[in-house]
Structures are given as C-alpha cells and as structure tokens.
Amino acid sequence: MQIINPATEEVIQDIAEDSPEAILKKFQSLKEGQPSWAAVPLKKRITCIERFYALLDEEKDTLSKTLTMEVGKPLQQSYNELNGARKRIEYFIKNSDRWLADEWITEEDATREKIVYEPLGIIANISAWNYPYLVGVNVFIPALIGGNGVMYKPSEYATLTGLHIQRLLYQAGIPEDVFQIVIGKGMAGQALLELPLNGYFFTGSYRTGRYIAEHTASKLVPVQLELGGKDPLYVMDDVEDIDSVAEAALEGAVYNNGQSCCAVERIYVHENVYDRFIDTFVSKAKKLAIGNPLDKATEIGPLSRKEQIDFLMQQVDDAKENGGKLLLGGGPLQQSGYFFPPTVVVNANHKMKLMTEESFGPVIGIQKVKDDQEAVQLMKDTPYGLTAAVYSKDFKRAEDVMKQMDTGTVYWNCCDRVSAGLPWSGRKSSGLGATLSYMGIRAFVQPKAYHLRG
Ligand code: TXE
C-alpha cells in the first residue's frame, strides 16, 4: 500500500497491508491479553491514558507534521486537532470513574442489588481519515479505560498517524496484547467483520457503515456508526452582525478543506439579508490562503483523496445545470496536488446534488428562503441527521427551529463543533449510538445485575 502526500502526489512510504492470517493472529493475542487488562484496577488503566495524553503534547510537532503530510490538513489545524483530542481525553480521564463505578441500587434491603459495568471484550475500532485523532480517541480511549482489547483499523489514508497512535499507547504502558493496529484498506476492515469480536465501532461513510451493520447483525453485538451528514445552517433576518455570521458559516464550510462530518454543507438565508450575506461571505472566501499545508499560514490545503475532485466537479456541474450561479472557485487548481479552491454556488435549490448529497469538500450552496417555515422544510429535506445550525438574536425563534430538527445535535449561533461532555450522535443515515459524554463511556461496557441475599 502506498502512502501518498496529497499536496505533492509524492509517495511518502510503501507499507505492507496485513493479511487475514496476520489479523487473526493479532486477534488471538488480544484474546489472551484482554482478561488481564480488565483485571487491572480502573485507576491504573487511567494512569496509562494520562501518560498517552502527555505524550501527545510532547510529540505534537512530529505528529502534526505526519498528519498534514498524509491527509493534507493545514498544519495549524493538525495542531488544533491534537489539542482537541487531548481535551476529549481529559474528559474521559476525569469522568470515567464516576460512570464505571459499581452502582448500589438497594443496600439495606434483605436482597441487596447493584450494577457492575464489565467490558464488552474485544472491540473493532474502524476509523476514518478526516480527523484520525478526534474520531479515534472517541472510541479507543473509553474502550481501553473500560477494560477492553482494541483492534484499531485506521483509515488507509491515515496509516502513519495510526502507527504513531499505537507507538505512543505502548509507550504509555498499554500492553501490546491489549491494543493492535490493523493496516490496510477495505479488505483489512472486512477481515475484522469475519472475526468473533464483541463490538463494532465505526466512523466513516454511510455506505460502509450500513454494510458493516448488515454484515455483523447476526453476531448480536453492539454496533455503533458515526456517519456523514448534509448539515444545514440557517441565517434568520434578525441577525445583526452579518460579518461574524458569514465568518462562522465560512469556517464551518471550509475548515479541514470541508472534510468534516459536521461541516456546514448547505446554507439557507432569509431573503431580507440574503444579498448582504452573500457579499460578505464571498469576499471573505476570496481571502482564504490556499497552498502548501505545511505552511502555518495556509487555511486551505489539498483534498485528501484524488477521487473527490471528480465528485465535487460533478456536483458543481449539476448545480450549474439546475440554475445555480457560481460566484467563486468551481474547479481544481492546475498544479500538482489535489487542490480544490473554496467554491460558492448561489441561487441553490433542492434539485441540485450539491444541496442533497454529502459534498465533503470546500464547496457550498446558498439558497434564499422567504420565512422560517420554508427554511425548516428545506433543512429537514435530507436522509441525514447529524447537526443543524440557526443564527438569530431571538432564542425563542431559533429554539422553535431547533426543536423541529431530526438531528443528534443542534446549534444556536454556532456551528461545526463537538464537545466532550455532550453525546455525539447521528440520526437516520448519520448513524447509530453515541460517543462522548457519559453515554460514550458506558458504550464500551455491559451491565451485570447483582441480586444479593445473605
Ligand atoms: O469513509 P469510508 P472515509 C464520515 C464523513 C464521510 C466519511 C469519510 O462524513 O462520510 O466519514 O470517511 C474501512 N469492511 N465521518 O472516507 O470510506 C476503511 O478502510 C470494513 C463521520 O474514511 O467509509 C476505513 O478505515 N471496513 C463522522 C473506514 O472503513 C471497511 C466523523 C472508513 O472508510 C470496509 C468523521 C469494509 N467492507 C467522518 N470498507 C461522525 N459522524 O462523527 C472500507 N472500510
């Protein structure tokens, strides 16, 4: 397997994929190691995670550079991702005790009752490339704290980062027979589906997620899916500071080159502020610095995958055919690397794929609406259900819209954000189950009910 730098198209490294036999061996070693890990007191398991947390900071320069080289993320955003991952780890360090402790239900009755939380066993963590640290720590940190063995399959586009993660976990004291990386593409992931694992925790596309759910259903083990989105943002006509709303919406649309699961993917603007919003949005988008992602001033780097260029081109062409007006961008830069500049289409409508299927790039459609009711109807017109954002100075009016969203997350005057203390969950085609918050701690354990007499 070749690791390619998307900014230069140069091969960074050739790396061997794991064969199904090698993956089976890794599984067998976890089978042996996991019971001893589960017997290690929770506090000691957390101590290893504290060391990992410190190592991420100690090595941040190397880790950020590797991440930028293999996925094309602007360097400053790689540093931000590491910081964000550390914040999430800190949450797990501080809160796992409380949610994994034995829970007495009745202590004084003749029959005493308690709940004990036991690990699931050995889980698969099949991961995406767009935020390998963030989406990784959502799973492998609480899984390890909960006493599980982890088969960690980083995306083939973030393999070197996956190898760093494994190295640092070992350095932090996680035993080798408790955490194993699986190197490879979809076939390596497929091999995990054939093994008798005790849970499947997947982050990635709807298509693969659904395939995994279908192919593991007969095992009757937990399956969690964090999938894509087509997240809307609605600008009401009472917003006062159009400048800062446009700034936030633009950042939500293009951060990480638009490759975020909760990226702003479509914007609806009330007709009273539509023209002002577009002028401000486009003039800001024009100023974004696109170029070498290793340069700290760069705001837009290359897309991570070459195929995405054609995909985005099709969306732009389709939008133009359906009445869209292209105000900025519209095609890849004619140079080496997978660079696609910020692209803005106005006069958007729901006949366009740009407004209905996940773009996963710095391409955005903006549609005019006449009132909140029309906005709500359009925002809900999607098979996805990850997030939805509303900008308004009136909380009641915004709340009325937020209540009608069938999404796991809603935002008022903010967007494209994830918080460790809140559940991260998608509805409909955006996923199943939740990570983060206390739910994301409990997701990796199973309850045992004790009925005690005597
Ligand atoms: O997904 P893919 P990608 C979403 C994001 C977008 C997608 C991008 O919105 O839709 O993820 O990630 C492995 N059996 N989110 O392109 O291609 C594959 O090797 C088993 C949502 O990476 O589905 C990789 O490791 N595994 C989000 C992983 O699946 C298989 C946060 C994902 O690959 C396999 C981040 C198979 N048959 C991104 N085929 C959220 N909601 O939180 C492939 N894989």
Side-chain angles (χ1 to χ4, degrees):
M1 191 168 80
Q2 290 191 321
I3 314 286
I4 293 173
N5 181 337
T8 60
E9 301 185 45
E10 283 161 6
V11 177
I12 307 175
Q13 202 172 314
D14 272 301
I15 198 159
E17 285 193 65
D18 279 329
S19 63
E21 296 72 37
I23 294 170
L24 179 62
K25 268 200 172 156
K26 290 181 179 189
F27 167 68
Q28 282 161 344
S29 93
L30 292 181
K31 267 299 239 193
E32 284 188 14
Q34 187 268 331
S36 327
W37 177 244
V40 170
L42 177 61
K43 282 222 158 18
K44 274 201 165 171
R45 296 201 297 259
I46 291 178
T47 307
C48 295
I49 301 302
E50 284 168 346
R51 274 189 231 120
F52 178 69
Y53 170 86
L55 286 166
L56 285 181
D57 193 44
E58 278 168 34
E59 295 214 12
K60 61 175 183 271
D61 294 334
T62 313
L63 304 179
S64 302
K65 196 168 169 207
T66 304
L67 181 56
T68 289
M69 300 249 313
E70 70 178 338
V71 305
K73 190 186 292 272
L75 191 59
Q76 185 54 52
Q77 296 182 17
S78 291
Y79 279 101
N80 296 350
E81 181 173 346
L82 278 165
N83 263 335
R86 291 179 76 246
K87 275 202 195 124
R88 293 187 190 183
I89 297 173
E90 195 183 349
Y91 171 83
F92 289 125
I93 290 171
K94 287 196 178 141
N95 291 282
S96 293
D97 242 1
R98 175 171 165 212
W99 298 105
L100 298 180
D102 295 357
E103 235 179 294
W104 281 103
I105 304 303
T106 52
E107 259 184 285
E108 276 105 44
D109 297 358
T111 306
R112 289 171 300 129
E113 297 174 349
K114 71 170 177 177
I115 306 170
V116 171
Y117 293 98
E118 298 183 344
L120 296 174
I122 298 164
I123 61 113
N125 175 188
I126 304 176
S127 201
W129 48 267
N130 59 338
Y131 289 97
Y133 286 103
L134 290 176
V135 299
V137 302
N138 285 2
V139 174
F140 64 73
I141 295 292
L144 290 170
I145 290 178
N148 297 279
V150 178
M151 292 210 83
Y152 171 56
K153 153 87 181 71
S155 163
E156 53 272 38
Y157 296 98
T159 304
L160 302 179
T161 292
L163 287 165
H164 277 312
I165 287 173
Q166 169 163 270
R167 177 176 62 77
L168 295 180
L169 283 171
Y170 290 167
Q171 216 171 308
I174 302 291
E176 290 191 18
D177 54 9
V178 168
F179 185 92
Q180 282 287 330
I181 189 171
V182 172
I183 304 279
K185 302 183 186 168
M187 288 311 286
Q190 177 75 38
L192 292 177
L193 311 187
E194 316 298 333
L195 293 174
L197 298 182
N198 306 106
Y200 289 85
F201 293 81
F202 172 78
T203 311
S205 62
Y206 165 74
R207 200 166 56 95
T208 313
R210 185 177 146 173
Y211 178 88
I212 289 176
E214 283 170 357
H215 283 76
T216 53
S218 63
K219 295 180 200 279
L220 301 184
V221 297
V223 176
Q224 283 204 181
L225 309 173
E226 294 196 354
L227 313 176
K230 187 70 194 168
D231 297 357
L233 181 148
Y234 171 37
V235 184
M236 289 183 174
D237 57 346
D238 64 353
V239 290
E240 277 163 351
D241 186 358
I242 284 274
D243 197 80
S244 65
V245 176
E247 179 89 33
L250 178 64
E251 188 174 337
V254 303
Y255 194 82
N256 200 26
N257 309 326
Q259 302 165 130
S260 304
C261 49
C262 54
V264 173
E265 286 253 340
R266 49 198 173 112
I267 300 178
Y268 303 97
V269 186
H270 195 286
E271 60 187 11
N272 295 344
V273 289
Y274 183 76
D275 292 337
R276 269 170 64 213
F277 178 83
I278 285 177
D279 288 348
T280 319
F281 188 88
V282 172
S283 83
K284 284 178 184 297
K286 275 185 187 154
K287 290 188 196 129
L288 290 167
I290 179 163
N292 179 0
L294 283 171
D295 181 343
K296 264 201 161 183
T298 293
E299 290 162 293
I300 306 279
L303 298 170
S304 304
R305 296 165 306 165
K306 194 174 190 171
E307 314 84 80
Q308 200 63 5
I309 292 180
D310 285 342
F311 183 80
L312 295 180
M313 278 312 301
Q314 281 169 24
Q315 283 200 344
V316 173
D317 291 342
D318 170 76
K320 285 198 278 191
E321 277 163 30
N322 282 292
K325 188 169 163 206
L326 183 67
L327 291 190
L328 191 68
L333 298 189
Q334 298 307 317
Q335 62 178 71
S336 57
Y338 317 143
F339 289 93
F340 203 99
T343 294
V344 182
V345 175
V346 297
N347 294 347
N349 60 63
H350 276 222
K351 276 185 264 155
M352 300 172 180
K353 291 183 182 144
L354 178 63
M355 298 301 275
T356 54
E357 55 175 47
E358 189 180 42
S359 306
F360 228 55
V363 171
I364 189 87
I366 307 181
Q367 179 165 356
K368 189 192 284 187
V369 293
K370 65 175 186 311
D371 54 24
D372 296 355
Q373 205 187 344
E374 186 185 10
V376 166
Q377 178 237 321
L378 291 166
M379 291 166 94
K380 290 176 74 165
D381 179 27
T382 173
Y384 289 107
L386 195 56
T387 82
V390 190
Y391 280 76
S392 167
K393 73 170 185 216
D394 180 346
F395 175 68
K396 281 271 165 268
R397 196 173 151 197
E399 189 187 31
D400 184 48
V401 171
M402 289 190 283
K403 279 185 172 165
Q404 295 181 68
M405 295 297 113
D406 194 5
T407 56
T409 292
V410 286
Y411 304 114
W412 178 44
N413 293 337
C414 57
C415 61
D416 187 28
R417 83 184 283 278
V418 180
S419 166
L422 294 173
W424 186 244
S425 67
R427 297 188 185 174
K428 304 192 286 179
S429 298
S430 290
L432 263 188
T435 53
L436 297 176
S437 79
Y438 75 91
M439 295 176 211
I441 295 173
R442 287 264 172 90
F444 299 92
V445 288
Q446 48 191 337
K448 184 176 274 175
Y450 279 73
H451 303 239
L452 306 170
R453 275 190 196 156

